[in-house]
Amino acid sequence: MDLPRIFTIRESSHRIHNPLTEVKLAALGAALRLAPGTRALDLASGSGEMLSTWARDHGITGTGVDISTVFTEAARARAAELGVADRVEFIHGDAAGHVADEPVDLAACVGATWIGSGVAGTTELLDRSLRPGGVMLIGEPYWRRTPPDKETAVACQATAIADFQELPDLMGTFHDLGYDIVEMMLADQDSWDRYTAAQWLNLRLWLDRNPDDDLVPEVREELATAPARYTRFTREYLGWGVFALMKR
């Protein structure tokens, strides 16, 4: 049980596996007014930057679950680096279906709603771990503007235009699911650039270090095509944000 290697190669230098910058992630933690001792569950926790930095800055405790062995090891190392390994733990496992042993104050899935087969399923999954009155965090793409055709949507790594909504419609979906939206932090084009463009150097450095690896053709193809595809399509059409929700 693990992520395909291409994912960890692509994001090998990343501590945040989504288009939020460190500044935006810190601003989100401050905006949520996290109290010391807040208990958190982070499903698809990646390299653990959210839990570890918020444990350092706000005194929260928590558990992260991620399917990647590479990212889970990085998360544990980051917690130790920041001196919070006694407050946060990271579990290698499938986040889909994972429910906390005891209700938590903050339940998050930031950028991986496929674990619940979409937004609705992921909110239902997180709600199973969340105490009454707790805060849920959902990270999700949205269309900055609706693509003109399926080909454009696919170039933005969707399977169809219907995979994502424009931002007001996504807000309406959260409302219809029974949640109040109490905070949000949106990526901008510059933070998208920092997230995506850094992947290109990761790919190139990996190619230089691994010329005989079986994955070379796939990595070379991605490096050859990703910059133009991103600047032509993803950068113009796809937005991304983290939304804080409280059940009505």
Side-chain angles (χ1 to χ4, degrees), residues 176-190:
D176 292 345
L177 289 170
Y179 292 87
D180 291 324
I181 303 153
V182 298
E183 186 54 87
M184 71 177 186
M185 186 64 62
L186 303 182
D188 56 24
Q189 286 182 309
D190 181 66

Side-chain angles (χ1 to χ4, degrees), residues 18-25 27 140-142 144 167 184-197 230 234-243:
N18 61 62
L20 285 193
T21 61
E22 293 179 13
V23 170
K24 285 180 178 287
L25 183 63
E140 181 70 2
Y142 60 87
R144 296 180 66 239
L167 184 56
M184 71 177 186
M185 186 64 62
L186 303 182
D188 56 24
Q189 286 182 309
D190 181 66
S191 50
W192 261 113
D193 292 347
R194 301 287 24 91
Y195 169 61
T196 304
Y230 168 72
T234 307
R235 194 177 193 272
E236 298 303 313
Y237 287 95
L238 196 62
W240 196 88
V242 182
F243 307 91

Side-chain angles (χ1 to χ4, degrees), residues 80-169:
E81 177 187 0
L82 297 182
V84 297
D86 60 334
R87 281 180 269 168
V88 294
E89 66 170 338
F90 295 97
I91 299 169
H92 172 240
D94 189 353
H98 184 94
V99 178
D101 293 335
E102 297 181 0
V104 298
D105 306 302
L106 178 71
C109 177
V110 179
T113 55
W114 57 82
I115 68 169
S117 300
V119 169
T122 301
T123 57
E124 191 278 330
L125 173 60
L126 291 174
D127 186 62
R128 292 161 60 191
S129 295
L130 192 64
R131 68 163 176 81
V135 175
M136 182 182 297
L137 293 182
I138 297 282
E140 181 70 2
Y142 60 87
W143 295 125
R144 296 180 66 239
R145 51 192 176 111
T146 299
D149 48 47
K150 180 180 178 180
E151 290 73 22
T152 301
V154 169
C156 296
Q157 299 184 331
T159 62
I161 295 173
D163 284 1
F164 307 130
Q165 300 172 285
E166 291 195 6
L167 184 56
D169 298 320

Side-chain angles (χ1 to χ4, degrees), residues 7-67:
F7 285 88
T8 53
I9 293 168
R10 184 187 296 125
E11 302 201 8
S12 58
S13 70
H14 291 50
R15 291 204 303 255
I16 302 171
H17 300 285
N18 61 62
L20 285 193
T21 61
E22 293 179 13
V23 170
K24 285 180 178 287
L25 183 63
L28 177 60
L32 293 174
R33 308 173 200 174
L34 299 168
T38 294
R39 294 164 300 165
L41 173 67
D42 187 9
L43 298 184
S45 51
S47 294
E49 190 72 359
M50 186 176 78
L51 283 184
S52 293
T53 57
W54 289 1
R56 177 196 63 190
D57 298 340
H58 304 287
I60 73 167
T61 65
T63 299
V65 182
D66 199 274
I67 200 170

